[in-house]
Amino acid sequence: MCTDDVADVLLSPEKIAARVAELGRQISADYRGKSLILVGILSGAVVFLADLIRAISIPLELDFVAISSYGAGTRSSGVVRIIKDLDESVEGKHVLIVEDIVDTGLTLKLSYLVDNLNARKAASVRICALLDKPNRRKMEVHVDYVGFVIPNKFVVGYGLDFNGLYRNLPFVGVLKEHVGGGVN
Ligand code: IMP
Ligand code: MG
């Protein structure tokens, strides 16, 4: 069981559900009467996004992008590329980017995407992230909606992975040290 590798549960399924419901209410109020499109960043955001859209009561469209840094271990290089682009045009639409976690900000993923979507004439571009680790920030990224501010620990679950695994855990937790857990 992958739960055996977890040392500590930071956010229970109940706590996550309550916060996602709040975010959904807030987003519904903020975008009422506007054409809203949620753009999920694959793959980490999918679990959060699936719950978030069902907490939003206004009409919305859904699209996805996949973005990668060039090469392995180049998180700090800041070179990014779109691996999977949007299926639909965002021209004239209000875009809400949905991300799993904002950590150092160094992949430039978010600022790159914001610039890219603005260039495609989106009416507005904002960011919603489930988790924020502000202590780790090395590059400024403005996050408009944050689910939870968390301490400087590597977390998994609810979409977040370690080496591709643990995305299916229903909570957000810290791995045991021998599996790779602890401070990043
Ligand atoms: P950064 O903001 O450029 O450091 O990169 C953020 C990305 O790194 C996120 O989209 C995640 O995919 C990954 N990441 C950062 N911190 C964590 C974590 O604690 N657990 C799992 N993935 C993480
Ligand atoms: Mg990852």
Side-chain angles (χ1 to χ4, degrees), residues 107-138:
T107 58
L108 286 180
K109 217 162 53 170
L110 289 170
S111 44
Y112 173 83
L113 194 56
V114 170
D115 290 348
N116 187 290
L117 294 172
N118 275 321
R120 298 188 208 187
K121 302 197 176 87
S124 70
V125 183
R126 283 181 175 175
I127 298 168
C128 174
L130 174 71
L131 305 174
D132 186 7
K133 277 197 260 185
N135 291 343
R136 291 260 299 163
R137 199 78 87 254
K138 291 180 182 145

Side-chain angles (χ1 to χ4, degrees), residues 13-25:
E14 295 74 24
K15 205 170 168 184
I16 296 170
R19 183 66 187 124
V20 170
E22 276 177 13
L23 285 172
R25 277 194 292 274

Side-chain angles (χ1 to χ4, degrees), residues 2-153:
C2 48
T3 45
D4 295 341
D5 295 342
V6 174
D8 193 20
V9 174
L10 271 185
L11 304 169
S12 67
E14 295 74 24
K15 205 170 168 184
I16 296 170
R19 183 66 187 124
V20 170
E22 276 177 13
L23 285 172
R25 277 194 292 274
Q26 198 187 337
I27 291 164
S28 305
D30 293 353
Y31 287 92
R32 196 166 300 283
K34 294 179 174 164
S35 48
L36 173 63
I37 178 160
L38 267 65
V39 171
I41 302 184
L42 296 171
S43 301
V46 294
V47 178
F48 174 41
L49 185 65
D51 284 343
L52 184 65
I53 56 170
R54 286 174 288 176
I56 298 175
S57 54
I58 60 170
L60 62 82
E61 288 179 89
L62 190 56
D63 213 332
F64 294 93
V65 287
I67 301 173
S68 169
S69 303
Y70 275 114
T74 52
R75 264 171 66 136
S76 55
S77 75
V79 182
V80 290
R81 67 189 168 117
I82 292 183
I83 292 171
K84 184 234 168 281
D85 204 350
L86 297 171
D87 292 332
E88 302 294 332
S89 162
V90 293
E91 190 171 341
K93 294 174 188 170
H94 294 270
V95 178
L96 185 59
I97 298 168
V98 181
E99 173 64 307
D100 52 0
I101 185 165
V102 182
D103 187 17
T104 61
L106 273 184
T107 58
L108 286 180
K109 217 162 53 170
L110 289 170
S111 44
Y112 173 83
L113 194 56
V114 170
D115 290 348
N116 187 290
L117 294 172
N118 275 321
R120 298 188 208 187
K121 302 197 176 87
S124 70
V125 183
R126 283 181 175 175
I127 298 168
C128 174
L130 174 71
L131 305 174
D132 186 7
K133 277 197 260 185
N135 291 343
R136 291 260 299 163
R137 199 78 87 254
K138 291 180 182 145
M139 188 167 283
E140 205 41 59
V141 180
H142 180 73
V143 186
D144 302 276
Y145 301 92
V146 174
F148 301 92
V149 174
I150 60 163
N152 181 18
K153 285 182 176 164

Side-chain angles (χ1 to χ4, degrees), residues 44 75 100 109 154 159-164 167:
R75 264 171 66 136
D100 52 0
K109 217 162 53 170
F154 192 85
L160 290 113
D161 75 301
F162 173 65
N163 283 349
R167 294 193 198 276

